[in-house]
Amino acid sequence: MVVLRTPPRAPGVELTAANIERFAPDAGAIESAQAFFRERGFDVGPVVGISFAITAPLDRFRATFPDVETRQRRALDRPDAQEETLGLESLPDDVARGIEAVTFTAPPEFGPGNP
Amino acid sequence: MPEPKKRAAARGGKAGKAARTGSARRPRARKSSTNLPPLVYAQASPHSLGGVSLFGGQRVTSETAASFASEDHVVLEAARGLQRAGFDVLQVTRLTINIAGPASLYEEVFNASLVAEERPAIKEQGREDTATFVECPDTDLPGLVDTKNSSFANVLEGVAIEEPRYYMQNAFAPTKAYWHLDVPAGVSLGCNADKAHRKGTTGKGVKVAMVDSGHFAHPFFSARGYNVAPTVLGPGTADPAVDADGHGTAESANVFSNAPDASFVMVKMNFTNTIGAFNAAVGLKPRIISCSWGSSKPTGPLSAADNALAAAIASAVASGIVVVVSAGNGHFGFPGQHPDVISAGGAFMKADGSTEASNYSSGFVSNIYPGRVVPDVCGLVGMKPRAAYIMLPLEAGSAIDVGLAGGGAHPNGDETLPKDGWAAISGTSAAAPQIAGVCALILQACGSLKPAGVRSILKSTARDVTTGSCAQGTQAVVGADAATGAGLIDAAKAVALAKFKCLVIKPKGFDAARRREAPSATLAEPPLPDLIPEVGVGAPVAGSEATGHGGGAEPASAEAPSPGSLSADDADEIMELMKDGGIDFEA
């Protein structure tokens, strides 16, 4: 998931239907981030809220985020910890500026396999 | 690589083989050495004790089976040899040795040739299709690899190549002696949805999306004529016809139990890309999204991914989509605790119809969202240890089908067969789609309601659960509580209230022809018999909530009773709710 930067929130303010419009990411940042990943060969999902999904084979992730495997391994070693985010250093400044984090979602703890 | 032998062709073997397989009249589509699967499975048969080969044409029955068994040392020698040759030895019995390997390995080791044949096959639900069979053209017997010309001649009498087989699933659930609910009848009755159905509110035209493990075309759905759209693949998923876990298929039956005419679509999710799948569901513009999954988040702060999911849900709800999420099975479920979702908890209905809090289901006060009590309302959920409670259809042989069957006697297992396509499961995974189904009824009755209005109706009309405690140990008490929320959903009452909220009410003597010139309609005080209900869907009144999402329900057919009109029974339900102070016009 590519989580986009949003206007700053005061501590304790969580994103809800009542305030989501106020914290919408910058339209220009959305456009440049999506264009960047599309050009690098990722499948780019729609923006819903403050994020969009990117999907690609591992080698494309490797080419864009050299630390992808280290971070993934670290996340697997510490399943209770918050999920790892990928380093944004390798992204162009104008793209990285609009991105809060690129992260993997952990599998759900209940649902499939544990109804 | 040995040259393929043509003995069979020379002896007219092909014809003989076709006759034996019963496929002589079927066209054999294609034969190819390039379409061979990467792994070929087979049963290697060590020489039989009785001296007669398993492949010699004699019938094998329980009476004769012993004579086809082999001596232990022969079996062992054969298994070791196969392993040394490079095969995966999967299982060893005195009758056969189950092996797997690439086709080229069989060809090399047994000095045989293998080809792939596309043959007509009847698949699930009688669907006519083709399937890939691996065949050895060197022998007369279909699927037999001769071992005579190999180093295994002294230990193996032959190798039988596995054939593709298809589950023959049944639209009828297996009967079991322990107390459980079935679908659609038991769940519908338990949620009091039957009465709403009888009055024409069935979820018709309301689009419900579910984000889960996939959807398998089980005959349960086709035999009842449910409206299931082709599965939409979320990012990073494949095989739209497969639900290897079984969860999505099973839980979707809960939607149809309460909303048999809803338009259902499954978005298959990759378990490490749940948000991507949720976003794909939003893109389909459903009226309702049902999520039977989540993670445990007892405290904040939320991670980047959680924030992304929270924002996706907030955005969906702001656009008018009702999002129903499971509260968890002892978890502090997220996103089930997000303030915009309808959080689904669990109530257990006993055989006498009484209810108590499900000790399998979550109930808690959120530490992340101040004042948020989870759940909002309950669906029907079983009890610990495994909540094996609702007999649901799923892909035969899927993980849940096999897992529950292997648990032994109820309540640790569901006492069904491991590959029968049915499993008794529940949890709040079942509650969410039951509630989603009732939401579909509500939105058919009053398409202009916003998500908060739908939730308010569910809470106003729920049946209080006053005994038992949830998985976190919180006791259910009289009134709303953190064990069961407002209680067990009541579909008939919820629909009646939704209709009432959507009524345009005018005083007697009002001239319909001059309606545009009339002042805005307002809710009048009861008694209801003095009111003339007129229009239903899409005409909000003061105190109800219009949405920019548009009416999600298709107009009801001319023959069906209008979902927007109040019957005498509906009026009774409304009067009862008013008497109880259950109607919240400000919701």
Side-chain angles (χ1 to χ4, degrees), chain B residues 431-454:
Chain B
Q434 290 164 23
I435 295 167
V438 176
C439 291
L441 303 184
I442 291 171
L443 287 170
Q444 185 192 353
C446 184
S448 59
L449 283 165
K450 281 182 179 175
V454 173

Side-chain angles (χ1 to χ4, degrees), chain B residues 290-316:
Chain B
S290 183
C291 300
S292 294
W293 46 266
S295 299
S296 200
K297 305 280 171 183
T299 56
L302 293 176
S303 67
D306 290 337
N307 266 308
L309 182 53
I313 286 170
S315 178

Side-chain angles (χ1 to χ4, degrees), chain B residues 131-153:
Chain B
T132 305
F133 285 70
V134 177
E135 188 54 271
C136 177
D138 309 339
T139 60
D140 286 348
L141 193 66
L144 178 66
V145 177
D146 198 344
T147 53
K148 274 196 205 105
N149 299 317
S150 75
S151 59
F152 285 87

Side-chain angles (χ1 to χ4, degrees), chain B residues 201-226:
Chain B
T201 308
T202 54
K204 188 175 171 60
V206 180
K207 188 172 178 179
V208 181
M210 181 180 243
V211 181
D212 212 294
S213 59
H215 202 269
F216 171 72
H218 194 287
F220 167 83
F221 301 97
S222 50
R224 287 171 176 79
Y226 292 143

Side-chain angles (χ1 to χ4, degrees), chain B residues 95-142:
Chain B
L95 212 56
T96 58
I97 302 167
N98 189 194
I99 57 172
S104 57
L105 185 61
Y106 287 83
E107 292 181 322
E108 189 186 322
V109 170
F110 300 117
N111 197 23
S113 60
L114 296 187
V115 293
E117 285 186 11
E118 289 299 312
R119 295 187 203 158
I122 297 173
K123 296 186 176 175
E124 297 85 359
Q125 301 167 63
R127 183 165 50 94
E128 290 187 15
D129 200 352
T130 60
T132 305
F133 285 70
V134 177
E135 188 54 271
C136 177
D138 309 339
T139 60
D140 286 348
L141 193 66

